[in-house]
Short mmCIF file of all heavy atoms in Angstrom, two decimals:
data_model
loop_
_atom_site.label_atom_id
_atom_site.label_comp_id
_atom_site.label_asym_id
_atom_site.label_seq_id
_atom_site.Cartn_x
_atom_site.Cartn_y
_atom_site.Cartn_z
N ALA A 380 12.03 -3.97 11.60
CA ALA A 380 11.46 -4.01 10.26
C ALA A 380 12.27 -3.03 9.41
O ALA A 380 12.66 -1.96 9.90
CB ALA A 380 9.99 -3.57 10.29
N GLN A 381 12.53 -3.43 8.17
CA GLN A 381 13.15 -2.46 7.26
C GLN A 381 12.02 -1.86 6.42
O GLN A 381 11.35 -2.55 5.65
CB GLN A 381 14.10 -3.22 6.33
CG GLN A 381 15.41 -3.59 7.02
CD GLN A 381 15.65 -5.08 7.04
OE1 GLN A 381 15.33 -5.79 6.10
NE2 GLN A 381 16.18 -5.57 8.16
N VAL A 382 11.82 -0.60 6.63
CA VAL A 382 10.65 0.08 6.05
C VAL A 382 11.10 1.08 4.99
O VAL A 382 12.08 1.83 5.18
CB VAL A 382 9.86 0.83 7.13
CG1 VAL A 382 8.65 1.55 6.52
CG2 VAL A 382 9.42 -0.11 8.27
N LYS A 383 10.41 1.08 3.88
CA LYS A 383 10.60 2.11 2.80
C LYS A 383 9.25 2.69 2.45
O LYS A 383 8.29 1.92 2.30
CB LYS A 383 11.26 1.50 1.57
CG LYS A 383 12.75 1.38 1.66
CD LYS A 383 13.40 1.24 0.30
CE LYS A 383 13.63 2.60 -0.32
NZ LYS A 383 14.71 2.62 -1.30
N VAL A 384 9.23 3.99 2.35
CA VAL A 384 7.93 4.61 1.99
C VAL A 384 8.13 5.45 0.72
O VAL A 384 9.24 5.88 0.38
CB VAL A 384 7.45 5.55 3.13
CG1 VAL A 384 7.08 4.74 4.37
CG2 VAL A 384 8.45 6.63 3.45
N TYR A 385 7.04 5.63 0.03
CA TYR A 385 7.03 6.61 -1.08
C TYR A 385 5.75 7.38 -1.10
O TYR A 385 4.64 6.84 -1.19
CB TYR A 385 7.23 5.86 -2.44
CG TYR A 385 7.64 6.89 -3.50
CD1 TYR A 385 8.97 7.15 -3.74
CD2 TYR A 385 6.67 7.58 -4.24
CE1 TYR A 385 9.36 8.12 -4.70
CE2 TYR A 385 7.04 8.52 -5.18
CZ TYR A 385 8.38 8.76 -5.41
OH TYR A 385 8.76 9.74 -6.34
N PHE A 386 5.89 8.71 -0.94
CA PHE A 386 4.76 9.63 -0.97
C PHE A 386 4.64 10.15 -2.37
O PHE A 386 5.52 10.95 -2.82
CB PHE A 386 4.98 10.78 -0.01
CG PHE A 386 4.92 10.41 1.48
CD1 PHE A 386 6.06 10.10 2.18
CD2 PHE A 386 3.71 10.38 2.13
CE1 PHE A 386 6.00 9.77 3.53
CE2 PHE A 386 3.60 10.03 3.48
CZ PHE A 386 4.80 9.74 4.20
N ASP A 387 3.63 9.74 -3.06
CA ASP A 387 3.39 10.21 -4.40
C ASP A 387 2.77 11.59 -4.35
O ASP A 387 1.98 11.87 -3.45
CB ASP A 387 2.40 9.23 -5.12
CG ASP A 387 2.64 9.10 -6.59
OD1 ASP A 387 3.78 9.38 -6.99
OD2 ASP A 387 1.73 8.73 -7.29
N ASN A 388 3.19 12.45 -5.30
CA ASN A 388 2.55 13.76 -5.43
C ASN A 388 2.93 14.76 -4.32
O ASN A 388 2.16 15.69 -3.97
CB ASN A 388 1.01 13.63 -5.46
CG ASN A 388 0.37 14.87 -6.04
OD1 ASN A 388 0.82 15.41 -7.04
ND2 ASN A 388 -0.68 15.36 -5.41
N LEU A 389 4.10 14.59 -3.70
CA LEU A 389 4.62 15.68 -2.88
C LEU A 389 4.97 16.80 -3.85
O LEU A 389 5.31 16.55 -5.00
CB LEU A 389 5.88 15.24 -2.15
CG LEU A 389 5.72 14.37 -0.89
CD1 LEU A 389 7.08 13.91 -0.40
CD2 LEU A 389 5.00 15.15 0.21
N PHE A 390 4.91 18.02 -3.43
CA PHE A 390 5.20 19.17 -4.33
C PHE A 390 4.36 19.16 -5.55
O PHE A 390 4.88 19.40 -6.67
CB PHE A 390 6.72 19.19 -4.70
CG PHE A 390 7.62 19.29 -3.53
CD1 PHE A 390 8.32 18.16 -3.08
CD2 PHE A 390 7.79 20.45 -2.86
CE1 PHE A 390 9.11 18.25 -1.97
CE2 PHE A 390 8.61 20.55 -1.78
CZ PHE A 390 9.30 19.44 -1.29
N ASN A 391 3.09 18.82 -5.39
CA ASN A 391 2.14 18.86 -6.54
C ASN A 391 2.64 18.20 -7.81
O ASN A 391 2.44 18.69 -8.91
CB ASN A 391 1.78 20.32 -6.85
CG ASN A 391 0.90 20.93 -5.77
OD1 ASN A 391 -0.01 20.27 -5.32
ND2 ASN A 391 1.22 22.12 -5.36
N GLY A 392 3.34 17.09 -7.64
CA GLY A 392 3.72 16.30 -8.82
C GLY A 392 4.99 16.79 -9.49
O GLY A 392 5.28 16.33 -10.60
N GLN A 393 5.75 17.69 -8.89
CA GLN A 393 7.05 18.02 -9.49
C GLN A 393 8.02 16.88 -9.19
O GLN A 393 8.56 16.76 -8.07
CB GLN A 393 7.60 19.31 -8.90
CG GLN A 393 6.73 20.56 -9.21
CD GLN A 393 7.29 21.79 -8.54
OE1 GLN A 393 8.45 22.18 -8.79
NE2 GLN A 393 6.50 22.42 -7.69
N LYS A 394 8.22 16.03 -10.22
CA LYS A 394 8.82 14.71 -9.98
C LYS A 394 10.25 14.76 -9.34
O LYS A 394 10.52 14.00 -8.42
CB LYS A 394 8.90 13.93 -11.29
CG LYS A 394 7.60 13.17 -11.59
CD LYS A 394 7.38 12.00 -10.60
CE LYS A 394 5.93 11.51 -10.67
NZ LYS A 394 5.53 10.71 -9.53
N ALA A 395 11.09 15.65 -9.85
CA ALA A 395 12.47 15.66 -9.33
C ALA A 395 12.49 16.05 -7.87
O ALA A 395 13.16 15.39 -7.05
CB ALA A 395 13.29 16.67 -10.14
N LEU A 396 11.69 17.01 -7.49
CA LEU A 396 11.58 17.46 -6.09
C LEU A 396 11.00 16.33 -5.26
O LEU A 396 11.43 16.02 -4.15
CB LEU A 396 10.69 18.66 -5.97
CG LEU A 396 11.35 20.05 -5.90
CD1 LEU A 396 10.32 21.14 -5.82
CD2 LEU A 396 12.29 20.09 -4.67
N GLU A 397 9.96 15.68 -5.81
CA GLU A 397 9.26 14.63 -5.13
C GLU A 397 10.21 13.47 -4.80
O GLU A 397 10.27 12.96 -3.68
CB GLU A 397 8.10 14.12 -6.01
CG GLU A 397 7.35 12.92 -5.46
CD GLU A 397 6.42 12.33 -6.49
OE1 GLU A 397 5.49 13.08 -6.96
OE2 GLU A 397 6.55 11.15 -6.86
N GLU A 398 11.02 13.09 -5.80
CA GLU A 398 11.97 12.00 -5.60
C GLU A 398 13.03 12.35 -4.55
O GLU A 398 13.37 11.54 -3.68
CB GLU A 398 12.59 11.57 -6.92
CG GLU A 398 11.62 10.66 -7.69
CD GLU A 398 12.03 10.40 -9.14
OE1 GLU A 398 13.23 10.59 -9.47
OE2 GLU A 398 11.15 10.03 -9.92
N ALA A 399 13.57 13.58 -4.65
CA ALA A 399 14.59 14.00 -3.69
C ALA A 399 14.00 13.99 -2.26
O ALA A 399 14.63 13.56 -1.32
CB ALA A 399 15.10 15.39 -4.05
N ALA A 400 12.79 14.55 -2.16
CA ALA A 400 12.16 14.61 -0.84
C ALA A 400 11.90 13.20 -0.28
O ALA A 400 12.13 12.97 0.91
CB ALA A 400 10.86 15.39 -0.96
N ASN A 401 11.47 12.27 -1.12
CA ASN A 401 11.22 10.92 -0.64
C ASN A 401 12.53 10.27 -0.17
O ASN A 401 12.49 9.49 0.75
CB ASN A 401 10.53 10.09 -1.71
CG ASN A 401 9.00 10.20 -1.62
OD1 ASN A 401 8.40 9.70 -0.70
ND2 ASN A 401 8.43 10.87 -2.61
N GLU A 402 13.62 10.63 -0.81
CA GLU A 402 14.90 10.12 -0.36
C GLU A 402 15.23 10.59 1.06
O GLU A 402 15.64 9.85 1.95
CB GLU A 402 16.00 10.51 -1.30
CG GLU A 402 16.68 9.29 -1.95
CD GLU A 402 17.65 9.69 -3.04
OE1 GLU A 402 18.71 10.25 -2.68
OE2 GLU A 402 17.31 9.44 -4.20
N VAL A 403 14.99 11.89 1.28
CA VAL A 403 15.24 12.48 2.58
C VAL A 403 14.32 11.83 3.64
O VAL A 403 14.71 11.50 4.76
CB VAL A 403 15.14 14.00 2.56
CG1 VAL A 403 15.30 14.58 3.96
CG2 VAL A 403 16.14 14.60 1.63
#
Side-chain angles (χ1 to χ4, degrees):
Q381 285 118 38
V382 180
K383 277 199 84 155
V384 294
Y385 196 90
F386 290 94
D387 212 23
N388 200 45
L389 281 174
F390 301 103
N391 289 317
Q393 296 177 59
K394 275 291 164 197
L396 262 178
E397 175 190 301
E398 280 169 20
N401 271 290
E402 242 172 71
V403 176

